Amino acid sequence: MALLKSNKVIYCLGNVSPSLGVLSTRHSSWWGGVQMGPPDPILGVTEAFKRDTNPKKMNLGVGAYRDDQGKPFVLSCVRKAEALIAAKQLDKEYLPIGGLGEFTKACAQLALGADNEVLKSGRSITVQTISGTGSLRIGANFLSRFHGGPRDVYLPKPSWGNHTPIFRDAGMQLKAYRYYDPSTCGFDFKGALDDISKIPEQSVILLHACAHNPTGVDPKPEQWKEIADLVKKRNLLVFFDMAYQGFASGDIDRDAWSVRYFIEQGHNIVLSQSFAKNMGLYGERVGGFTVVCNDADEAKRVESQLKILIRPIYSNPPMNGARIATTILNTPDLRSLWLEEVHGMANRIIKMREQLVAGLKKEGSTHNWQHVIDQIGMFCFTGLKPEQVERLTKEFSVYMTKDGRISMAGVSSGNVGYLAHGIHAVTK
Amino acid sequence: MSIFSDVPQAPPVAVFKLTADFREDSHPQKVNLGVGAYRTDDSQPWVLPVVKKVERLIVEDDSLNHEYLPILGLPEFRSASSKVALGDDSPAIKENRVGGVQALGGTGALRIGAEFLRRWYNGTNNTATPVYVSAPTWENHNAVFADAGFKDIRPYHYWDAAKRGLDLAGLLDDLEKAPEHSIFVLHACAHNPTGTDPTQEEWKKIAEIMKRRKLFVFFDSAYQGFASGSLEKDAWAIRFFVSEGFELFVAQSFSKNFGLYNERVGNLTVVAQDNENLTRILSQMEKIVRTTWSNPPSQGARIVSKTLNCPELFAEWKGNVKTMADRVLLMRDQLKSKLQALGTPGTWDHITQQIGMFSFTGLNPKQVEYMIKEKHVYLMASGRINMCGLTTKNIDYVAQSIHEAVTKVQ
């Protein structure tokens, strides 16, 4: 209330001040005390980009894939699936609360592997969610209501900006473990193990399954093994966020390796999946939330409670994207086509990373840019400092987030040279 | 020892359990009068012809992609939706003080509105503000507000079982006695589950007290057009309250009137006092949406937006809506006639006086049990039937079943 500007204070008293001409039929607004919410930092970048008139401008902010012409990419397998679906003339009846059954089955199989013992024994439950965000939120709500352990969720430092408010709004508290090492632009393995070893038992630890957002820094398999071991020793509840399966290395099984390894090692994980990036279904909001339980009975009980959580948020999930995803996953030619296209997207990103580093060398940069190639997935933590980012934006119209993160998807063969030039200019 | 070993089995949501039981029933004459979705006279779901047409246009449009919508949703959808609720010539819209938040169905709109109220209404983070819902009401209203954090959810008098109509005196009394600033969830038309709406004069009385006692108006509008067949008529209460100067919310659903149930298309219309307030409100709505679903699904919004914003498609849609509303009115008429012809004890005028998809028959739980177990006619324990489940083919059987239930079971 102390943030009310003076004119708002007068406004609230308006009905006793004739000079303000407040109508007798209307009392003062209910909403005088509502503060202006700060703009979303990531989406704010796109807003600023749109306003810029420089023909060479580059949007390296939001993480949506672009083709080499800088255009949104609708996968062929998606178009084909849509045509198949349109021909079927299906109805639009409500889905069950937990979503389309064929979708949740295919979604779980994609993450865990079709022959996973967990799926065969029926000891897991997967519900369809509103993409990754919706999945994380359902998961957070579920933990908030049913997790008997500490309220703390440990995020890697840094993590996706939206993780914190999601868990907080669900009633959990946020803590962090070391993750990114700015001196190497790589993984702070020692720091991570050190911090994780001190996390109180039964706390929740969130892990990015692959293509860490925002750094692009992933643990190596050997490092994952040590993390899994330590997490088990500490008896922590593992919450995997997998938003980029297939998109990181180009190989869906390779990208899901960490998830499958943890399960194999006996962790009963919870898992959020998104199909926004790997199927390009961003606006259709396709995702899944999985809870691996002790047995089928527990899975049924957990499922019943997930439904009770979901119903008062949005009743049941949207059909369109789930149908597309299911059609792709369950139709052999479409599935093969999808795997090729995902591979193609991942490859283009990898190529851009290589070209950017080559470009920087050509510009004469003497810095070590190896991390640009070592990092994986859509994002690259360049190591640029806020002042350098500001210059890059002001002088070159290159838009990115203040933390130095760039979305490699926004880089193309047409503009990678310009980007290298700009980065070199602000870092030499 | 699992961390989830203590998770209890939750009871199933009644209305979905009813449909599940119906599906398992092999009786040849079974009838499903449970879940609230429109059915044709052949008991089939109906994808509106205008929807099919627009979907084809969307699939064939290569310029469309699947990119993220803005957090608050598709702009053309939001403005067209609010316009449908408030009217083309709405002064509030002209004064630039109306905004929309695209949401996942009516449920999503209610939830976002409820979250906002909990954070910013009547002080900040005020979970103690009473929220009043009608007795009875759609069963999910309670959970929406409870899960949004409100601790005090109370019923207001609504259905008078004895006279099978609106308990106006009880309702007005509750309004008078409610603590100032209490939130009231009002059904804009076609009250679910009773089908009983206040008359215009009754709405005026309600509005007068609400204004005087500073009560917050939260309309739930899930059946605009579907109730009477006229968009304007079904929005009369909303428009009246707006003309009376209320700042209010309207949770709109396009599930029924567009038949887009599974695409989850809804809109939370916000009517604020002025544009400045509206801007701040919407900025906070964004924060709530961002941690709930980030941004809404595009398919359904595109369909509704294209339809509402194109005069020909809009006219075609209104025709489709009237088709649905007319079939329901016909079934009401026929059910009442048949019960009267059978000489079924009691009065059955309420069947044609009530409006919209649902009718509160007045059957008691025992009679309902009889209907389900003996006659394989599935309806809610409250006696609520979905008129859309009636067809010219099954209406005799249903009328006969009701007759038996009423005469054999007390």
Side-chain angles (χ1 to χ4, degrees):
Chain A
M1 286 299 167
L3 293 172
L4 280 177
K5 297 194 294 239
S6 58
N7 59 334
K8 288 199 196 101
V9 172
I10 294 168
Y11 193 63
C12 288
L13 295 173
N15 55 355
V16 298
S17 174
S19 59
L20 290 176
V22 175
L23 307 169
S24 56
T25 50
R26 283 201 251 147
H27 59 81
S28 56
S29 171
W30 291 126
W31 312 120
V34 174
Q35 295 161 26
M36 187 69 186
D40 184 284
I42 296 169
L43 299 169
V45 168
T46 298
E47 304 291 304
F49 167 82
K50 282 190 186 140
R51 287 192 294 265
D52 192 325
T53 50
N54 183 346
K56 288 202 159 133
K57 65 181 180 177
M58 289 177 70
N59 186 359
L60 303 182
V62 101
Y65 181 80
R66 293 286 173 265
D67 64 17
D68 202 48
Q69 273 70 51
K71 297 266 175 299
F73 175 53
V74 178
L75 279 64
S76 303
C77 62
V78 168
R79 288 221 192 275
K80 290 189 155 79
E82 287 179 304
L84 284 177
I85 291 165
K88 286 194 186 147
Q89 298 280 291
L90 301 162
D91 66 42
K92 298 206 169 286
E93 294 300 289
Y94 288 123
L95 282 179
I97 300 175
L100 183 64
E102 305 171 279
F103 169 74
T104 56
K105 192 159 166 223
C107 177
Q109 285 178 343
L110 180 66
L112 272 39
D115 51 2
N116 198 306
E117 154 275 318
V118 163
L119 298 177
K120 292 205 174 104
S121 66
R123 67 181 184 92
S124 69
I125 173 63
T126 299
V127 291
Q128 180 187 338
T129 57
I130 316 302
S131 206
T133 301
S135 177
L136 287 161
R137 183 55 182 272
I138 295 300
N141 283 358
F142 181 76
L143 292 178
S144 185
R145 198 173 269 190
F146 291 105
H147 181 47
R151 308 264 78 200
D152 298 314
V153 176
Y154 284 76
L155 300 179
K157 208 186 316 188
S159 194
W160 181 45
N162 208 16
H163 277 145
T164 294
I166 288 171
F167 282 101
R168 188 171 289 149
D169 281 1
M172 303 298 281
Q173 273 149 19
L174 281 312
K175 292 218 159 62
Y177 57 92
R178 273 172 287 169
Y179 191 84
Y180 178 71
D181 185 345
S183 64
T184 60
C185 294
F187 184 36
D188 182 359
F189 185 42
K190 236 171 128 267
L193 289 180
D194 194 29
D195 284 350
I196 293 172
S197 69
K198 302 193 174 92
I199 297 179
E201 294 206 21
Q202 302 211 347
S203 304
V204 179
I205 182 169
L206 185 132
L207 303 168
H208 296 223
C210 65
H212 181 271
N213 178 1
T215 68
V217 170
D218 286 350
K220 307 257 178 304
E222 293 316 303
Q223 294 171 323
W224 272 126
K225 286 179 179 173
E226 277 199 58
I227 294 169
D229 218 44
L230 179 57
V231 164
K232 193 189 282 190
K233 280 202 183 73
R234 299 301 307 150
N235 192 17
L236 306 177
L237 170 46
V238 175
F239 198 142
F240 265 113
D241 184 353
M242 184 158 68
Y244 299 98
Q245 187 184 6
F247 203 94
S249 69
D251 180 329
I252 49 163
D253 295 310
R254 198 158 145 204
D255 287 349
W257 183 85
S258 61
V259 173
R260 297 174 189 184
Y261 180 77
F262 271 67
I263 290 176
E264 229 177 85
Q265 294 301 303
H267 295 268
N268 279 359
I269 65 163
V270 302
L271 165 70
S272 285
Q273 288 169 264
S274 167
F275 289 85
K277 284 82 172 172
N278 60 11
M279 282 194 181
L281 290 174
Y282 308 91
E284 302 296 339
R285 319 310 292 127
V286 196
F289 178 67
T290 296
V291 182
V292 177
C293 302
N294 260 8
D295 53 53
D297 177 73
E298 184 175 289
K300 281 257 153 298
R301 284 182 283 116
V302 167
E303 179 186 16
S304 71
Q305 294 296 348
L306 287 171
K307 288 186 195 175
I308 297 282
L309 274 169
I310 291 171
R311 172 86 167 142
I313 306 178
Y314 52 84
S315 275
N316 40 75
M319 170 61 99
N320 197 49
R323 259 194 195 143
I324 295 171
T326 308
T327 304
I328 291 171
L329 293 172
N330 291 344
T331 309
D333 329 328
L334 293 186
R335 192 187 174 102
S336 317
L337 178 55
W338 173 56
L339 293 175
E340 267 177 51
E341 294 189 283
V342 154
H343 201 250
M345 290 193 286
N347 271 0
R348 195 184 87 67
I349 302 266
I350 290 168
K351 211 160 129 207
M352 289 302 103
R353 289 178 178 279
E354 288 163 4
Q355 286 191 11
L356 178 56
V357 172
L360 285 162
K361 286 205 172 87
K362 199 153 152 237
E363 289 283 329
S365 178
T366 53
H367 293 293
N368 178 0
W369 296 102
Q370 185 57 33
H371 57 281
V372 171
I373 292 176
D374 290 343
Q375 289 167 7
I376 192 167
M378 199 177 283
F379 301 112
C380 169
F381 238 35
T382 54
L384 289 177
K385 303 188 182 47
E387 323 81 69
Q388 294 167 327
V389 171
E390 209 183 324
R391 278 190 64 200
L392 200 49
T393 303
K394 283 209 163 72
E395 296 171 32
F396 294 91
S397 295
V398 172
Y399 290 81
M400 51 199 284
T401 45
K402 278 205 300 268
D403 52 11
R405 182 192 89 164
I406 57 176
S407 168
M408 292 307 300
V411 182
S412 69
S413 49
N415 63 25
V416 64
Y418 178 72
L419 179 61
H421 177 74
I423 292 179
H424 176 61
V426 307
T427 56
K428 61 185 174 188
Chain B
M1 179 70 172
S2 167
I3 37 179
F4 299 129
S5 359
D6 294 336
V7 173
Q9 177 74 31
V13 177
V15 68
F16 298 133
K17 171 109 188 5
L18 194 71
T19 293
D21 291 344
F22 168 81
R23 285 217 181 95
E24 279 183 32
D25 190 332
S26 52
H27 194 269
Q29 283 179 300
K30 64 178 182 174
V31 182
N32 187 358
L33 302 179
V35 124
Y38 179 78
R39 292 284 175 270
T40 62
D41 199 56
D42 293 311
S43 292
Q44 294 303 307
W46 193 50
V47 178
L48 274 57
V50 73
V51 167
K52 282 192 183 164
K53 185 184 280 187
V54 173
E55 278 193 312
R56 254 196 312 274
L57 292 173
I58 291 173
V59 159
E60 285 161 11
D61 187 346
D62 276 337
S63 75
L64 289 176
N65 55 41
H66 292 287
E67 293 297 289
Y68 289 125
L69 284 182
I71 298 175
L72 295 180
L74 188 64
E76 316 86 89
F77 166 79
R78 296 159 55 205
S79 54
S81 300
S82 294
K83 223 164 102 176
V84 151
L86 269 38
D88 282 342
D89 49 2
S90 167
I93 292 179
K94 288 202 173 82
E95 288 159 22
N96 219 348
R97 56 190 184 89
V98 174
V101 180
Q102 182 188 335
L104 271 79
T107 305
L110 284 163
R111 181 58 177 264
I112 298 299
E115 291 276 351
F116 180 89
L117 290 173
R118 196 258 307 148
R119 290 176 191 211
W120 297 107
Y121 174 69
N122 201 19
T124 46
N125 215 32
N126 189 348
T127 59
T129 303
V131 177
Y132 283 81
V133 298
S134 64
T137 193
W138 181 47
E139 116 287 337
N140 205 16
H141 277 149
N142 268 281
V144 168
F145 283 87
D147 281 13
F150 286 101
K151 304 271 180 255
D152 184 357
I153 299 166
R154 312 177 182 183
Y156 59 86
H157 286 87
Y158 197 83
W159 170 250
D160 185 333
K163 73 172 219 225
R164 287 190 188 166
L166 180 67
D167 177 3
L168 182 68
L171 204 180
L172 297 180
D173 193 48
D174 284 337
L175 290 170
E176 290 287 5
K177 296 208 169 87
E180 282 196 350
H181 306 305
S182 295
I183 295 162
F184 273 75
V185 180
L186 306 172
H187 298 227
C189 70
H191 183 269
N192 177 0
T194 69
T196 299
D197 291 341
T199 61
Q200 290 185 5
E201 287 315 303
E202 289 167 346
W203 275 123
K204 286 179 180 171
K205 292 198 172 110
I206 293 166
E208 187 272 318
I209 303 174
M210 291 190 78
K211 189 187 294 185
R212 182 168 29 87
R213 309 224 54 260
K214 300 186 178 58
L215 305 173
F216 185 79
V217 176
F218 199 149
F219 272 113
D220 184 350
S221 177
Y223 302 98
Q224 189 183 0
F226 199 98
S228 68
S230 155
L231 293 172
E232 290 73 31
K233 205 152 161 227
D234 291 347
W236 186 88
I238 296 170
R239 297 175 189 189
F240 174 71
F241 274 70
V242 171
S243 73
E244 286 291 295
F246 284 88
E247 287 183 295
L248 52 78
F249 285 176
V250 185
Q252 299 170 264
S253 168
F254 291 95
S255 291
K256 283 82 171 173
N257 60 13
F258 260 87
L260 285 173
Y261 307 94
N262 69 20
E263 300 292 4
R264 318 310 294 125
V265 205
N267 187 52
L268 177 70
T269 284
V270 175
V271 180
Q273 190 156 52
D274 53 46
N275 185 263
E276 201 264 328
N277 272 289
L278 179 70
T279 305
R280 278 180 291 111
I281 292 166
L282 292 179
S283 76
Q284 293 296 349
M285 290 285 183
E286 274 195 356
K287 305 203 74 52
I288 295 167
V289 168
R290 181 68 167 145
T291 61
T292 314
W293 54 63
S294 263
N295 42 76
S298 63
Q299 180 72 355
R302 274 180 178 160
I303 295 170
V304 172
S305 175
K306 267 181 155 31
T307 306
L308 296 181
N309 285 317
C310 164
E312 280 159 18
L313 294 172
F314 185 63
E316 192 178 337
W317 171 59
K318 286 199 285 189
N320 290 172
V321 171
K322 193 156 185 311
T323 298
M324 293 191 285
D326 285 349
R327 194 178 97 63
V328 169
L329 288 167
L330 180 66
M331 290 299 100
R332 285 186 179 279
D333 217 55
Q334 287 194 358
L335 182 60
K336 181 175 101 171
S337 311
K338 287 185 193 294
L339 289 171
Q340 284 172 342
L342 286 169
T344 308
T347 55
W348 299 101
D349 291 331
H350 57 284
I351 295 200
T352 47
Q353 278 162 3
Q354 288 164 5
I355 192 166
M357 199 178 274
F358 301 114
S359 173
F360 239 32
T361 54
L363 293 173
N364 66 40
K366 284 213 179 74
Q367 291 164 336
V368 169
E369 204 184 331
Y370 178 87
M371 294 282 285
I372 297 174
K373 290 215 155 66
E374 303 303 323
K375 308 304 296 183
H376 306 272
V377 175
Y378 289 74
L379 66 158
M380 300 297 288
S382 59
R384 184 192 90 168
I385 60 173
N386 176 5
M387 299 304 300
C388 302
L390 291 174
T391 68
T392 51
K393 289 111 181 144
N394 67 23
I395 195 161
D396 284 308
Y397 179 70
V398 172
Q400 182 61 40
S401 303
I402 293 175
H403 181 80
E404 278 181 38
V406 171
T407 49
K408 286 186 184 172
V409 183
Q410 258 73 58

